[in-house]
Every structure is written in structure tokens, then in C-alpha cells.
Amino acid sequence: MVVKCATLYVGTAHADAFIAATKINQACSRQESGVIAFDFFHHQSNPEQYLLYEVYNTQEAVVAHTETDHYKTWISTVRDWFVKPVDRALYDVID
């Protein structure tokens, strides 16, 4: 199992559109066979900060996700709204 956390910073002028686009990506991502969880959070005190918490059954599923049409549509829609670089981290489960 692989956990991916992506912290995203989006200008407040684009917040509503970002949330709408990300909810579509989330719904589609949850249908992927390799996705165990795909959750979307908004920071309590920083209106520009969001978190995607993604759990995949394999590293290959992580890569496959980035090759889907819904991911490509999402990233091409939202990438210009980021006000800081995306902070991504991958984690392995400790048994």
C-alpha cells in the first residue's frame, strides 16, 4: 500500500472553481481499481491550503492514476491557480 499526500496552495479567487474541479477528479479517482482512498481537505486557518490524501494498493496504481483522462483534465485545469509549488510526499505502510 502507498499513501500520497499532496498539499496544494490555490489563490482564493479560484477557490470555488478549484473545489468543483477537484471534486470531479476525486469522484472519478475513487472509481479506479487501484485506489483505496481519495480524500480532499481544506485547511482550517489558511484559506489557500488544501490537502489530497490518496491511498493506492501499489506504486503502479499511483502512476496509473496520473495517466487517466480525469487526472489530466484536472491538472490542466487547476495548475495555473497554484500560488506555491505543490508539496508531494509518498509513504509506505509500516507493518
Side-chain angles (χ1 to χ4, degrees):
M1 187 166 30
V2 179
V3 173
K4 178 180 174 184
C5 294
T7 302
L8 312 153
Y9 301 89
V10 177
T12 55
H14 299 288
D16 290 342
F18 174 75
I19 291 168
T22 303
K23 284 182 174 182
I24 292 168
N25 182 55
Q26 177 187 40
C28 293
S29 297
R30 286 178 168 173
Q31 300 303 310
E32 294 175 43
S33 62
V35 172
I36 297 169
F38 199 101
D39 298 316
F40 179 39
F41 302 94
H42 190 202
H43 196 278
Q44 290 183 352
S45 61
N46 181 350
E48 293 186 338
Q49 187 172 334
Y50 299 84
L51 174 71
L52 290 175
Y53 175 81
E54 308 166 26
V55 182
Y56 298 88
N57 57 13
T58 63
Q59 181 61 41
E60 292 77 18
V62 175
V63 173
H65 168 68
T66 64
E67 296 171 351
T68 61
D69 289 340
H70 60 268
Y71 173 82
K72 291 176 184 178
T73 298
W74 174 78
I75 195 63
S76 68
T77 300
V78 304
R79 76 167 42 114
D80 290 338
W81 301 338
F82 297 149
V83 295
K84 290 183 182 180
V86 176
D87 180 19
R88 293 179 184 90
L90 292 173
Y91 299 87
D92 292 319
V93 173
I94 299 173
D95 292 327

